[in-house]
């Protein structure tokens, strides 16, 4: 919902959350939807205008009656209380389902009726101010998620936390969130400008976290209300910085000692990650800058995109490879990746640094999904929305990372959303997601050009060569300087705590 009364949100990531439910049964699909009755929704509807700030829209509570309450209402926002408009994803915790966004709030929902239930503040269970809407699950259903603890006990950290699927026998009936534990944490390079991240990767033994130069400016955030600017303006891409690749060993819960890094980039979605012959490979959708967020201002979306809003970088699937153990005596400049399955490189540098150069897999895709049974493992298929020079997808894509071929589906007057892969119960093949009885016995492979149930997949040309703007390789040739901790970082250590997460 992008308008409330006479007011209108500015950005696509602001709209009031709408829950969707699809039930696929006996060859039919049943659909229902309902607005999430968040506190934000209720306050807006009651005031008949937008009164709670979202990512791209700064809003103020009901007009204040007098100067004192006005001053109070500004001051009370010095520590921002974020929105509970959980518009990004659905998370399963034990038997419970939650609608999620990236703030400290999640909302329990009834998956059958789509009713909105309790509002949960992550900060009651783990000290985080923000958390991703893309948690991971292990085979037992335990949740692994990441959040940022801003200036907590003098430090800003990226915290990996685990919510168990089941509670201990003697605590039966209690909420699994009460048993949340910190799995590990990574100290942010900067106290006042931690990286923004939308997802992270896991393999069977490791966790991959990209500390990218797309950063939140905490000082800007803490003064955003007074300055009347939105949260989006507190995010900035620092093209002069590097992207640090943190790899945590799940067995020791400690980051690997080698400093892995790559060129500056922006990543929203990790597709998958896995281990192969002593290397960790991870596939991500990369951008050269943060222009994606600018594209999604509704004012831009109302115009003719192709004409006015060409993104400066298109979403590109890239594969990175990181060696899990680095020989200290390896020659500087040597490639530590000996795999034949990828052209991604990891170049040894001095001072325990390794520069990673990815392999380009495919250009023009977003909202990636996989068969989640393959998460953290070797896999073959990416299901995604195809996005070329317009952010509105018109096709879904099935990309085969092994053969590097792809199939596309599109139909006139159809605009696909994020494709969700639902495996056939008991399926053996990774891409077996067919409804039994409706062509389920046809062979399944990326080379299958034939009619796939009612869906006609179209075989596609191999990806076109990278356009000139995709300057990864050129940049890779430039000399790279070793990162130093900025004076801002040292200064910030003296600053008082602005956002203190609470744990009870
Ligand atoms: C409200 C709010 C935030 C919201 C972010 C959102 C809503 C991001 C959505 C991202 C999507 C949908 C990405 C898709 O690739 C921040 C910046 C975390 C911090 C400040 C408060
Ligand atoms: Fe996402």
């Amino acid at each position: 919902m992008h308008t409330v009364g006479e007011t209108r949100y500015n950005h696509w990531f602001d709209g009031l959350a709408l829950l969707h439910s699809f039930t696929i049964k006996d060859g039919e699909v049943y659909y229902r939807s309902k607005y999430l009755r968040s506190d934000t929704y209720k306050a807006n509807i009651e005031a008949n205008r937008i009164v709670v700030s979202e990512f791209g829209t700064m809003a103020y509570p009901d007009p204040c009656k007098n100067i004192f309450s006005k001053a109070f209402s500004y001051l009370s926002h010095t520590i921002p209380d974020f929105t509970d408009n959980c518009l990004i994803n659905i998370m399963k915790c034990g038997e419970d389902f939650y609608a999620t966004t990236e703030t400290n709030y999640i909302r329990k929902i009834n998956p059958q009726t789509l009713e909105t239930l309790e509002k949960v503040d992550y900060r009651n269970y783990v000290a985080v101010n923000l958390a991703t809407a893309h948690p991971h699950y292990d085979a037992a259903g335990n949740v692994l998620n990441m959040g940022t603890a801003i200036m907590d006990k003098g430090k800003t950290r990226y915290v990996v936390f685990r919510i168990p699927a089941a509670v201990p026998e003697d605590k039966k009936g209690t909420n699994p969130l009460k048993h949340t534990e910190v799995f590990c944490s990574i100290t942010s390079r900067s106290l006042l400008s931690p990286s923004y991240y939308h997802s992270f990767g896991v393999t069977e033994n490791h966790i991959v976290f990209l500390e990218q130069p797309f950063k939140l400016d905490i000082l800007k955030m803490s003064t955003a209300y007074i300055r009347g600017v939105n949260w989006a303006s507190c995010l900035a891409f620092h093209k002069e910085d590097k992207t640090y690749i943190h790899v945590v060993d799940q067995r020791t819960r400690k980051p690997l000692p080698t400093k892995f890094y790559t060129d500056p980039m922006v990543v929203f979605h990790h597709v998958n990650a896995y281990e192969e012959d002593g290397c960790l490979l991870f596939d991500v959708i990369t951008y050269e800058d943060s222009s994606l967020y600018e594209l999604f201002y509704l004012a831009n979306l109302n115009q003719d995109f192709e004409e006015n809003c060409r993104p400066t970088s298109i979403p590109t699937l890239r594969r990175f490879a990181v060696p899990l153990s680095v020989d200290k005596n390896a020659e500087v400049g040597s490639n530590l990746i000996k795999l034949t399955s990828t052209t991604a490189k990891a170049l040894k540098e001095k001072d325990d640094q390794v520069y990673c150069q990815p392999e380009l897999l495919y250009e023009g895709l977003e909202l990636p999904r996989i068969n989640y049974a393959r998460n953290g493992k070797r896999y073959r298929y990416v299901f995604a929305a195809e996005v070329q020079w317009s952010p509105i997808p018109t096709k879904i894509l099935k990309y085969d990372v092994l053969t590097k071929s792809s199939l596309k589906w599109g139909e006139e007057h159809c605009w696909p959303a994020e494709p969700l892969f639902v495996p056939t119960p008991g399926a053996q093949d990774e891409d077996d997601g067919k409804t039994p009885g409706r062509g389920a016995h046809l062979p399944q492979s990326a080379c299958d050009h034939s009619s796939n149930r009612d869906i006609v997949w179209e075989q596609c040309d191999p990806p076109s060569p990278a356009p000139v703007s995709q300057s990864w390789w050129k940049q890779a040739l430039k000399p790279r300087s070793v990162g130093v901790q900025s004076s801002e970082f040292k200064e910030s250590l003296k600053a008082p705590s602005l956002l203190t997460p609470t744990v009870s």
Side-chain angles (χ1 to χ4, degrees):
M1 191 191 288
H2 284 120
T3 55
V4 183
E6 306 273 277
T7 55
R8 189 171 164 75
Y9 285 115
N10 298 325
H11 199 275
W12 208 2
F13 298 166
D14 296 345
L16 291 171
L18 181 63
L19 299 162
H20 301 266
S21 152
F22 298 87
T23 306
I24 304 170
K25 207 171 147 190
D26 304 328
E28 303 282 329
V29 184
Y30 301 82
Y31 169 76
R32 68 164 62 177
S33 68
K34 207 176 198 136
Y35 281 104
L36 182 79
R37 264 48 175 193
S38 57
D39 286 359
T40 297
Y41 175 97
K42 287 188 252 167
N44 287 345
I45 297 297
E46 198 177 314
N48 195 32
R49 65 185 186 89
I50 298 163
V51 290
V52 180
S53 302
E54 298 292 339
F55 172 73
T57 306
M58 188 49 83
Y60 294 88
D62 290 328
C64 305
K65 309 232 162 28
N66 62 50
I67 186 94
F68 294 109
S69 56
K70 188 163 188 161
F72 177 75
S73 114
Y74 279 136
L75 283 173
S76 64
H77 284 112
T78 311
I79 297 165
D81 186 23
F82 293 132
T83 180
D84 69 337
N85 175 31
C86 297
L87 79 168
I88 306 186
N89 204 359
I90 304 287
M91 168 171 79
K92 189 171 185 240
C93 281
E95 293 309 307
D96 303 327
F97 288 82
Y98 291 89
T100 62
T101 180
E102 294 184 352
T103 66
N104 52 302
Y105 293 118
I106 54 177
R107 281 307 299 227
K108 192 166 166 182
I109 57 155
N110 177 326
Q112 262 83 45
T113 61
L114 300 185
E115 264 170 302
T116 304
L117 306 168
E118 292 97 279
K119 175 179 180 175
V120 170
D121 186 344
Y122 269 133
R123 293 175 301 176
N124 291 332
Y125 309 106
V126 56
V128 292
N129 304 94
L130 306 165
T132 88
H134 287 291
H136 282 287
Y137 304 90
D138 65 14
N142 301 304
V143 176
L144 204 61
N145 200 3
M146 272 192 83
T148 306
I150 301 164
M151 294 173 63
D152 177 32
K153 300 189 198 86
K155 279 195 170 164
T156 296
R157 292 190 191 87
Y158 309 106
V159 181
V160 178
F161 56 95
R162 188 177 174 276
I163 312 167
V167 301
E169 203 47 51
D170 56 323
K171 305 263 169 45
K172 268 253 143 43
T174 56
N175 183 346
L177 273 155
K178 287 209 168 119
H179 304 274
T180 302
E181 57 158 18
V182 171
F183 187 80
C184 62
S185 66
I186 298 165
T187 305
S188 165
R189 294 187 73 80
S190 158
L191 184 73
L192 288 176
S193 43
S195 286
Y196 168 83
Y197 53 100
H198 183 74
S199 63
F200 62 105
V202 295
T203 65
E204 282 171 324
N205 304 303
H206 295 87
I207 295 167
V208 192
F209 170 64
L210 295 177
E211 191 174 20
Q212 55 187 358
F214 186 32
K215 298 178 186 174
L216 289 162
D217 185 323
I218 303 305
L219 289 179
K220 280 190 179 168
M221 280 177 87
S222 63
T223 54
Y225 270 103
I226 302 162
R227 294 181 300 118
V229 298
N230 62 16
W231 301 130
S233 74
C234 307
L235 273 162
F237 179 61
H238 299 258
K239 61 177 187 308
E240 67 291 350
D241 282 2
K242 298 170 178 170
T243 302
Y244 294 91
I245 304 168
H246 298 279
V247 177
V248 175
D249 188 329
Q250 291 200 42
R251 294 155 298 192
T252 60
R253 301 189 178 198
K254 295 265 178 309
L256 299 187
T258 310
K259 292 176 197 73
F260 301 107
Y261 75 98
T262 187
D263 289 343
M265 61 176 184
V266 174
V267 167
F268 298 100
H269 293 115
H270 280 252
V271 180
N272 201 5
Y274 60 95
E275 288 162 32
E276 187 181 316
D277 295 335
C279 295
L280 184 150
L281 290 97
F282 64 94
D283 297 345
V284 282
I285 313 256
T286 63
Y287 294 81
E288 283 197 351
D289 56 35
S290 58
S291 59
L292 177 87
Y293 271 168
E294 270 104 74
L295 271 188
F296 286 117
Y297 277 98
L298 296 176
N300 294 340
L301 292 176
N302 290 339
Q303 293 164 10
D304 189 352
F305 268 129
E306 314 268 322
E307 288 296 305
N308 306 323
C309 302
R310 273 201 152 221
T312 53
S313 75
I314 64 166
T316 306
L317 177 63
R318 291 183 204 266
R319 170 162 294 178
F320 286 84
V322 165
L324 288 169
S325 68
V326 174
D327 176 3
K328 285 212 176 2
N329 301 319
E331 208 181 310
V332 168
S334 64
N335 179 15
L336 305 172
I337 306 298
K338 307 286 177 224
L339 302 174
T340 50
S341 63
T342 181
T343 58
K345 291 181 181 162
L347 304 173
K348 175 85 172 59
E349 295 189 342
K350 50 182 176 22
D351 303 329
D352 228 358
Q353 293 209 92
V354 171
Y355 170 67
C356 299
Q357 232 177 35
E359 172 184 359
L360 187 155
L361 293 179
Y362 191 88
E363 287 183 304
L365 80 174
E366 248 301 359
L367 309 177
R369 286 277 183 155
I370 56 164
N371 177 343
Y372 201 76
R374 301 294 166 118
N375 191 53
K377 304 187 176 94
R378 255 188 242 209
Y379 78 116
R380 205 168 150 179
Y381 302 107
V382 182
F383 300 90
E386 187 203 39
V387 269
Q388 284 296 334
W389 291 109
S390 152
I392 309 269
T394 53
K395 285 189 172 151
I396 39 178
L397 183 81
K398 175 184 177 186
Y399 178 72
D400 183 334
V401 294
L402 190 70
T403 62
K404 303 200 165 67
S405 61
S406 56
L407 297 172
K408 287 179 190 176
W409 170 85
E411 223 172 86
E412 220 190 333
H413 309 302
C414 289
W415 290 270
E418 179 172 346
L420 307 185
F421 183 83
V422 183
T424 301
Q428 293 295 311
D429 292 338
E430 181 182 335
D431 61 342
D432 182 356
K434 284 184 176 168
T435 312
R438 303 201 69 190
H441 306 295
L442 286 173
Q444 294 263 299
S445 91
C447 308
D448 176 9
H449 309 182
S450 65
S451 168
N452 180 346
R453 191 156 68 97
D454 298 331
I455 296 178
V456 182
W457 291 94
E458 149 207 345
Q459 183 77 39
C460 305
D461 297 336
S464 52
V468 190
S469 77
Q470 305 276 312
S471 55
W472 209 287
W473 307 110
K474 276 193 285 167
Q475 283 181 29
L477 298 172
K478 283 193 226 146
R480 291 170 304 275
S481 60
V482 180
V484 283
Q485 223 133 52
S486 67
S487 55
E488 171 252 346
F489 177 80
K490 284 175 206 137
E491 260 318 292
S492 65
L493 290 171
K494 298 178 204 146
S497 178
L498 297 166
L499 292 149
T500 311
T502 55
V503 188
S504 62

